[in-house]
Amino acid sequence: QVQLVESGGGLVQAGGSLRLSCAASGSIFSINAMGWYRQAPGKHELVARISSGGSTNYADSVKGRFTISRDNAKNTVYLQMNSLTPEDTAVYYCYLRAGQVTEIDYWGQGTQVTVSS
């Protein structure tokens, strides 16, 4: 089984920074992408994604402020979040997409990010 463990969430003041980590373990093959979603009242969106080839995608709301990166050797993805605002407050979920013929998504447990004004 594949397990994703997230860390790095917490409480931060507006303008501050946080770095989220997501470490995957288990029987993983053919990782296609890893990324982050966030969920809050009235909001459920893809924040960032990085493909196996290294290409990245970001939500418009975080472009220029968030950076996604990965360590393939450790099957770990990171999300550096800078210039945080209260609108970034949400539960952040890490995901991993794997498979060749059939793709399967795995999800982390979620980590709370709270940005105070």
Side-chain angles (χ1 to χ4, degrees):
Q1 299 290 336
V2 175
Q3 185 177 52
L4 280 67
V5 179
E6 304 178 27
S7 62
L11 175 65
V12 66
Q13 291 181 295
S17 299
L18 284 173
R19 190 190 191 206
L20 306 183
S21 298
C22 176
S25 62
S27 299
I28 307 172
F29 60 94
S30 299
I31 297 175
N32 299 325
M34 296 185 72
W36 298 86
Y37 276 81
R38 66 185 180 186
Q39 182 173 328
K43 178 170 61 183
H44 183 200
E45 64 182 352
L46 172 69
V47 177
R49 174 171 58 191
I50 184 166
S51 73
S52 60
S55 62
T56 58
N57 295 280
Y58 297 95
D60 288 340
S61 58
V62 308
K63 285 182 179 178
R65 300 188 298 119
F66 291 11
T67 302
I68 188 169
S69 61
R70 73 185 193 282
D71 184 335
N72 288 335
K74 297 180 179 180
N75 287 334
T76 300
V77 65
Y78 307 92
L79 185 67
Q80 179 66 46
M81 306 185 294
N82 299 326
S83 301
L84 287 163
T85 76
E87 293 190 350
D88 295 316
T89 296
V91 178
Y92 286 71
Y93 295 91
C94 171
Y95 79 91
L96 180 154
R97 176 165 287 181
Q100 293 180 311
V101 178
T102 301
E103 291 185 323
I104 301 175
D105 290 342
Y106 302 91
W107 294 88
Q109 80 281 6
T111 184
Q112 176 70 47
V113 172
T114 302
V115 184
S116 62
S117 60

